[in-house]
Amino acid sequence: GGGKITKVEITTDGGKTWREAQIQEPVLSKAIPRFVFPWQWNGEEVMIASRATDERGTNQPTTSEMAKLWGVEPERFNRGMFVRWNVIQPWKIDRGGKVTNAIYSI
């Protein structure tokens, strides 16, 4: 982002809906702050992620949005291609509690 984070949102349904988390101090320029989001996992498979908004109003992009910006196909988008890799990082939690990277899911 271009400044301090003013909002962090969480999705627990793979990006369909987003709810605001509580940001904790300190909030520093160009750094993601700690945040709290009360949520109880029901044991079902779920996709979770957070996204940040900075003081300019810039939202953290999805992998698809970033790929479009750089003119590449999302499945060919490789974070080693670019210096700034600030996309939303989703995580899949399966019924057994195993957490896996789901970067191309949102």
Side-chain angles (χ1 to χ4, degrees):
K4 290 184 179 182
I5 299 301
T6 58
K7 181 168 64 172
V8 174
E9 297 169 291
I10 308 297
T11 182
T12 58
D13 59 12
K16 294 176 190 150
T17 62
W18 295 86
R19 295 181 293 171
E20 198 163 340
Q22 179 185 358
I23 295 176
Q24 297 181 320
E25 296 293 332
V27 179
L28 306 172
S29 185
K30 300 178 186 169
I32 189 77
R34 291 180 182 257
F35 56 88
V36 177
F37 183 78
W39 174 69
Q40 185 158 357
W41 179 50
N42 66 6
E44 295 296 318
E45 185 173 291
V46 66
M47 187 84 59
I48 64 171
S50 64
R51 70 178 176 194
T53 302
D54 68 18
E55 60 192 352
R56 293 180 180 177
T58 304
N59 290 319
Q60 194 172 2
T62 65
T63 304
S64 296
E65 291 167 342
M66 183 67 93
K68 189 174 187 178
L69 178 70
W70 289 98
V72 297
E73 295 297 319
E75 56 276 353
R76 300 181 70 107
F77 196 62
N78 179 333
R79 68 175 151 192
M81 296 169 66
F82 308 104
V83 174
R84 294 193 71 179
W85 180 257
N86 64 333
V87 299
I88 295 168
Q89 173 61 65
W91 299 96
K92 177 182 172 185
I93 305 171
D94 71 17
R95 291 178 184 203
K98 182 179 178 183
V99 178
T100 54
N101 185 325
I103 192 68
Y104 296 108
S105 300
I106 293 180

